[in-house]
Amino acid sequence: MKRNKIILGSVGIIAIAAIAFVGPWNLTDSKGSYEQKDLTSLQNKKADDARKWLEARYIDQETGLPITPEKLALIEKQVRKANRTKSISFVEQGPDNIGGRTRAIQIDRTNIQRVWAGGVSGGLFVTTNRGDQWTRVDSYMNAGASPFISSMTQTDNGVLYVATGSNQEGWNGNGVWYSEDFGSTWAVIPGTSSVTEIVSSDVSNKVWLATGTGLKTWNLGDASLTSVTVTSGGCTALAISKDGNVLVAAMASNKTYISTDAGANWADKSGSGAGLVPTGAPRIEYAISPTKNSSNNYSIYAARTNSNLAGMNVSHDNGNTWSQFVGASGTPSNLDIYRDQGTYNSIMSVVPNDPEKILIGGIDIWQWKQTVNNPPSGGFEKLTEWFLPPYSSKYAHADNHEMKWDSQNRLYIGNDGGVGITNDFGETWYPANRGYNVTQFYGIAFDNVGSVMGGTQDNGTLYNDHTLSTFQEFREVNGGDGLECEISFYNPRVMFSSVYNNSISRSGDRGETWSSFVPVLPGTYDPAGTAGNFHPFHTEFVLAEYYDLNSEDTVTFIPSKNYAAGTTIQIPSMSTGDSM
């Protein structure tokens, strides 16, 4: 049957991976439901696997090596110039109620109602009602800016800066873009490409950039970037005090450097001795208190991670001396903040009204409060649980990447589920994703009446039959990292979904319940759904349906009565258990 509809993932990853299994299958019944996953389902290092899968999609066909940013930019430029047919039009399908991976949020200094958020592959969005409804900033993409947003800041004069590319992602950016009119028009900072972090103070119009070639600064109107002399190597993390005097930067192999004179001079505060921040962790994140502490200094925090927590340090004297208040901890333990994903999801922020209290984002959101002064020590408390239903006041999506406070102490968080909000310092939470269409799709499917389904990054398998409150609203029909999926074109009740490592499921009732759909594997294989060399992160499979009147292997039908010529007979298929 000819299908004349073209469906694209809304902001998705469109690619072809390995071919699925060929052979007999076993079916085991299980009821589809929302349930807490056990720890083993989160120990597959899926963040690293996803990054490797994405990098494998960007291979230069001429060299066989990963494509360079310059060549990719050239291809994109050629595509933009290519002739476009006017006979095909696209209608966005959503989701408008489910977000996606977000590493950048910025509250407008001039208008607390206006907030910008950036997806890591979904472009820039803005809300004018503090997160109740989001709209895409079309002018940003129309200017040629990259959708791969890594960080944002706004200087004292109201200029908005959007950095693209990140050392925590598998793709590059095309510079730092800025707008002097709140997003109506855009320009790019000369000489910029991928920038992991961009920051500014409350008293200056200078921006500071963490780049792969070191720490840079720029002022509006400058002809080029200014390199800041700290040490050799790239800058991977950066924070600045509100008055602009204190800066902390991770340089080279994540060594901690401090400036207390607005960046004029820098001191190396890394090492194994007393009062220093240990080195060697693959990732480090910093946070500076918004207000000064009782000693009239800023409190600065550092979270060092590998796959799990390597340690956290604090300084209450502007970064001159440091103390470790917690050491290494990980899976399995009661302090399992990062759960084998410490290089992927790590963020921290100091609570505005208390320089001795921080919020920490890993898989979930945690709180640490100092209770002893010398040496600094205290206790941890988990504030959110990712596996709770979204309407729970303790729910925040897993894998946290961003935290920004507004002037009324509302905290916006960015994670793999989009944007979340707390108005009471973490006591209660709620997601705020209406219209924030940045969900990343690994695979998509559609049926013969226009219903669509997609496997998404960390947001499950989503389905939209256009019967919910808006045309673009989806519902989750299966959990985990939704990957490849299919819907039967002849019987839309029949669906297939998958997650990583060849875990494939089948539904015969439009996703209400699911059964595992397991290939018969050689005896040397681990069971489907477990990590290993035999089971790839992403399995490509196709539901091949052919209406062949001469086929002898579709159904077996032995009539038990006479039928009039032309009678339509529905026969249960032995392969699906539903009428085909």
Side-chain angles (χ1 to χ4, degrees):
M1 179 181 293
K2 183 179 180 181
R3 306 185 189 186
N4 55 8
K5 293 183 179 180
I6 300 176
I7 309 293
L8 300 180
S10 64
V11 188
I13 301 168
I14 303 171
I16 298 176
I19 295 297
F21 303 99
V22 177
W25 301 82
N26 290 331
L27 290 173
T28 304
D29 291 334
S30 63
K31 180 176 176 58
S33 61
Y34 192 98
E35 60 183 359
Q36 180 179 358
K37 306 297 188 298
D38 58 23
L39 284 179
T40 58
S41 69
L42 295 173
Q43 292 173 348
N44 295 327
K45 300 183 179 179
K46 59 185 179 66
D48 291 336
D49 289 337
R51 182 180 297 132
K52 292 176 182 178
W53 176 87
L54 177 62
E55 291 171 348
R57 311 277 73 75
Y58 285 84
I59 297 297
D60 190 324
Q61 293 184 350
E62 295 180 354
T63 66
L65 300 174
I67 195 166
T68 64
E70 294 76 16
K71 189 164 186 179
L72 185 59
L74 177 61
I75 294 172
E76 292 173 347
K77 185 176 181 180
Q78 292 171 340
V79 170
R80 290 178 183 271
K81 289 183 177 179
N83 293 328
R84 299 185 181 183
T85 177
K86 296 181 179 180
S87 61
I88 299 177
S89 61
F90 292 92
V91 177
E92 185 168 0
Q93 301 289 301
D96 68 356
N97 60 316
I98 296 170
R101 190 153 85 248
T102 299
R103 292 190 182 274
I105 295 172
Q106 179 61 41
I107 299 103
D108 187 357
R109 292 177 181 270
T110 68
N111 179 6
I112 197 173
Q113 298 291 325
R114 182 161 49 204
V115 184
W116 291 276
V120 300
S121 66
L124 183 66
F125 283 71
V126 66
T127 174
T128 56
N129 51 21
R130 301 184 81 196
D132 287 347
Q133 180 73 39
W134 299 86
T135 56
R136 181 178 287 108
V137 182
D138 291 324
S139 60
Y140 174 82
M141 293 299 294
N142 293 339
S146 169
F148 309 140
I149 296 175
S150 56
S151 181
M152 284 192 281
T153 194
Q154 188 183 33
T155 47
D156 188 54
N157 58 0
V159 178
L160 173 67
Y161 291 85
V162 180
T164 66
S166 170
N167 62 8
Q168 284 119 33
E169 294 290 345
W171 36 53
N172 296 293
N174 67 352
V176 173
W177 295 77
Y178 66 93
S179 175
E180 300 178 64
D181 49 19
F182 305 106
S184 295
T185 60
W186 296 87
V188 65
I189 294 181
T192 54
S193 54
S194 291
V195 174
T196 294
E197 202 153 9
I198 184 168
V199 300
S200 60
S201 72
D202 287 354
V203 298
S204 170
N205 296 324
K206 177 188 292 186
V207 291
W208 299 76
L209 291 71
T211 79
T213 56
L215 182 59
K216 314 287 184 181
T217 64
W218 192 76
N219 278 288
L220 185 65
D222 287 354
S224 61
L225 294 170
T226 298
S227 295
V228 180
T229 302
V230 182
T231 187
S232 60
C235 180
T236 58
L238 183 63
I240 189 171
S241 62
K242 285 185 174 294
D243 64 9
N245 289 325
V246 177
L247 293 100
V248 56
M251 304 295 298
S253 57
N254 287 333
K255 292 183 176 181
T256 296
Y257 284 78
I258 290 288
S259 173
T260 57
D261 55 9
N265 298 281
W266 293 81
D268 184 355
K269 295 297 179 179
S270 61
S272 57
L276 301 175
V277 181
T279 61
R283 182 171 177 179
I284 190 168
E285 289 291 327
Y286 301 111
I288 299 180
S289 59
T291 57
K292 291 185 177 181
N293 55 39
S294 59
S295 300
N296 199 35
N297 294 311
Y298 286 105
S299 296
I300 310 176
Y301 294 82
R304 299 174 290 110
T305 55
N306 40 51
S307 57
N308 286 293
L309 177 63
M312 293 185 186
N313 298 72
V314 61
S315 169
H316 291 308
D317 58 2
N318 295 334
N320 287 313
T321 57
W322 292 79
S323 298
Q324 179 171 287
F325 60 88
V326 64
S329 180
T331 303
S333 77
N334 291 329
L335 192 60
D336 186 15
I337 298 175
Y338 303 100
R339 200 165 298 168
D340 293 334
Q341 295 188 169
T343 58
Y344 171 71
N345 43 231
S346 179
I347 185 69
M348 63 194 317
S349 180
V350 185
V351 174
N353 60 357
D354 189 349
E356 296 181 352
K357 181 189 290 187
I358 59 173
L359 299 187
I360 307 146
I363 297 293
D364 291 304
I365 306 292
W366 293 69
Q367 173 184 281
W368 180 82
K369 168 62 179 173
Q370 182 173 312
T371 56
V372 177
N373 293 332
N374 191 18
S377 60
F380 288 85
E381 178 186 359
K382 185 189 283 192
L383 300 181
T384 67
E385 296 281 7
W386 65 269
F387 59 79
L388 294 173
Y391 53 79
S392 169
S393 65
K394 296 299 182 182
Y395 168 81
H397 199 283
D399 303 348
N400 292 276
H401 310 290
E402 174 68 306
M403 293 180 174
K404 287 287 181 71
W405 300 86
D406 72 9
S407 59
Q408 295 182 2
N409 294 330
R410 167 178 283 194
L411 174 64
Y412 294 85
I413 60 172
N415 49 44
D416 278 12
V419 178
I421 291 174
T422 177
N423 292 310
D424 50 16
F425 302 101
E427 290 296 319
T428 59
W429 303 78
Y430 64 91
N433 292 310
R434 179 61 72 180
Y436 188 51
N437 301 18
V438 299
T439 314
Q440 296 174 295
F441 284 84
Y442 286 109
I444 55 175
F446 62 100
D447 66 16
N448 58 4
V449 295
S451 299
V452 291
M453 186 167 70
T456 66
Q457 189 274 327
D458 212 22
N459 284 282
T461 298
L462 308 179
Y463 177 64
N464 182 6
D465 60 3
H466 308 300
T467 62
L468 301 178
S469 59
T470 73
F471 180 80
Q472 296 182 14
E473 185 167 323
F474 277 66
R475 64 181 175 92
E476 183 176 332
V477 293
N478 218 349
D481 266 303
L483 297 174
E484 199 57 53
C485 60
E486 286 284 1
I487 306 175
S488 170
F489 210 66
Y490 300 113
N491 181 3
R493 294 173 58 84
V494 177
M495 300 173 168
F496 296 86
S497 70
S498 64
V499 296
Y500 27 82
N501 307 132
N502 283 335
S503 180
I504 303 174
S505 300
R506 175 200 172 277
S507 174
D509 52 14
R510 285 190 172 91
E512 294 296 329
T513 60
W514 293 86
S515 302
S516 60
F517 198 67
V518 183
V520 176
L521 300 170
T524 56
Y525 278 44
D526 293 329
T530 57
N533 295 329
F534 298 116
H535 300 300
F537 172 76
H538 178 282
T539 296
E540 180 77 15
F541 64 85
V542 176
L543 175 61
E545 297 181 298
Y546 302 97
Y547 187 64
D548 183 1
L549 294 176
N550 298 316
S551 172
E552 296 180 357
D553 29 322
T554 302
V555 294
T556 298
F557 175 59
I558 302 174
S560 60
K561 64 178 182 179
N562 295 327
Y563 292 92
T567 300
T568 299
I569 305 171
Q570 286 193 333
I571 305 167
S573 166
M574 292 186 296
S575 64
T576 69
D578 202 352
S579 299
M580 299 294 284

